[in-house]
Amino acid sequence: MTTDPGLRVGLGFDVHPFAPGRPLVLGGVAIPHEAGLAGHSDADVLLHAVCDALLGAAALGDIGVHFPDRDPAFRGISSLELLRRTAALLAAAGWRPFQVNACLLAEVPRIAPHADAMRGAIAAALGIPAANVGLTATTTEGLGFVGRREGIAAQAVCLIVRDGGGAAP
Ligand code: MG
């Protein structure tokens, strides 16, 4: 019989199109840019991918189930709040985040100057060390919707651990 190690991995992915006249928020950080992203919330594509990775790891559905974009309560909401609520959902199910690694796919703007601030914001929302939050970024060399500067995509993986020594959820 195999012993459950009390670990789960998660995978998340999201895309949002650019929209003029909106603030750009990525990883919980406001970034000066000529356009933001379209979406019901603050359209933080990076945090949405992280939320889905966490929810997926715990097999708790996805961000659309818990924070539906039809619900006026979530209009314009900070995705950092969605991330905090996601961590609370995990905690209620007996899990806690341990590590996140995410990748932004964006032709513009440059991510590197803001990466550490994003890592810090994600870490703070999840209550984990910034050293446990990795963030990489890449362009797509002009190819596809990212390359045409039509939007930004994000991928995230995470590791969650069973909280405390309680029974398996
Ligand atoms: Mg989204």
Side-chain angles (χ1 to χ4, degrees):
M1 194 169 106
T2 305
T3 303
D4 186 333
L7 304 171
R8 300 289 188 274
V9 296
L11 168 69
F13 175 75
D14 197 23
V15 173
H16 281 260
F18 278 119
R22 279 177 59 96
L24 179 62
V25 183
L26 292 174
V29 176
I31 295 174
H33 191 58
E34 61 195 13
L37 296 172
H40 185 71
S41 66
D42 64 0
D44 191 327
V45 64
L46 174 56
L47 294 192
H48 293 182
V50 172
C51 285
D52 264 352
L54 292 164
L55 291 168
L60 287 173
D62 62 27
I63 194 170
V65 169
H66 294 284
F67 314 115
D69 60 12
R70 306 172 302 281
D71 189 335
F74 302 117
R75 177 182 297 278
I77 193 172
S78 166
S79 294
L80 281 173
E81 178 59 24
L82 300 183
L83 188 57
R84 286 188 285 266
R85 293 188 191 187
T86 294
L89 288 167
L90 261 67
W95 296 99
R96 62 181 171 85
F98 180 77
Q99 183 209 357
V100 171
N101 190 10
C103 178
L104 271 169
L105 296 88
E107 207 73 22
V108 288
R110 285 195 67 236
I111 302 301
H114 311 286
D116 282 347
M118 296 180 194
R119 292 175 50 232
I122 293 168
L126 296 179
I128 62 177
N132 291 23
V133 180
L135 177 61
T136 58
T138 185
T139 70
T140 60
E141 302 285 350
L143 298 174
F145 69 86
V146 170
R148 292 189 297 269
R149 306 183 177 201
E150 294 170 3
I152 294 179
Q155 299 174 315
V157 294
C158 71
L159 181 66
I160 65 172
V161 298
R162 184 161 296 134
D163 203 4

